[in-house]
Amino acid sequence: MANIDDANQLIGHWASPAQPAHYLPGQIHALWSEPAGEFPMSTQVLMVLAEVLRAAGGWGGLPPPQGEDFSMVMAVTGAAPGVVLPQTVYEYRNHAGQMVRQVGFDDLELDVRKICFKRGRLCA
C-alpha cells in the first residue's frame, strides 16, 4: 500500500505482514500475534464477495465507530480462503482530518483491537 500526503506526494509504502500468497481460512488471523501488535493486512484493500461477508456475520460495527474494519477482515479471512497480491493496489492518503488522528481515538484503540482479535479467533 502506498502512503500519500495531503499534497498527493508519495511518503512511503506499508508492507503487509501477510506476504503475497494464497491463504486458507484462519491463516491471516494466525499472523496477528496479539491485539496490540501490527495488524496482518491493510483493511482498505480487502475485496470480498457480498455473500461471503454476509455469511461471516457482516460488517462488524462496534459501538464507537472504530475497529469495524479490523472486525470485518478477521471474520471474512476466518471464513473464506483468499489471496494477497504482490502489487500495490491502494494509495492511502494521510491527512489531518482522518479518524485515526482524532482526539480520543487512541483511548479506545487497544480495547477495540481486543474485541476484533477475539472475533478473529472465533472465526478462524
Side-chain angles (χ1 to χ4, degrees):
M1 179 174 70
N3 288 318
I4 308 296
D5 67 10
D6 283 336
N8 288 328
Q9 299 296 312
L10 178 67
I11 57 174
H13 285 88
W14 180 76
S16 172
Q19 296 299 306
H22 286 82
Y23 288 88
L24 297 173
Q27 287 184 316
I28 295 293
H29 182 271
L31 297 173
W32 195 16
S33 61
E34 61 175 336
E38 185 172 19
F39 197 69
M41 64 181 295
S42 173
T43 61
Q44 297 88 352
V45 300
L46 184 70
M47 292 181 281
V48 61
L49 296 170
E51 60 264 20
V52 172
L53 178 57
R54 285 187 204 103
W59 186 251
L62 299 171
Q66 185 171 336
E68 68 279 2
D69 50 353
F70 281 20
S71 180
M72 186 267 303
V73 167
M74 287 292 94
V76 167
T77 61
V83 177
V84 173
L85 302 173
Q87 299 89 353
T88 296
V89 297
Y90 189 81
E91 292 182 349
Y92 184 85
R93 186 173 70 89
N94 293 283
H95 58 92
Q98 64 195 113
M99 191 171 82
V100 299
R101 294 191 182 171
Q102 301 303 309
V103 173
F105 181 87
D106 290 336
D107 297 342
L108 295 174
E109 184 65 6
L110 183 56
D111 289 334
V112 167
R113 284 172 159 261
K114 287 176 182 177
I115 292 167
C116 297
F117 190 83
K118 288 179 183 176
R119 184 176 188 197
R121 185 179 297 145
L122 292 171
C123 294

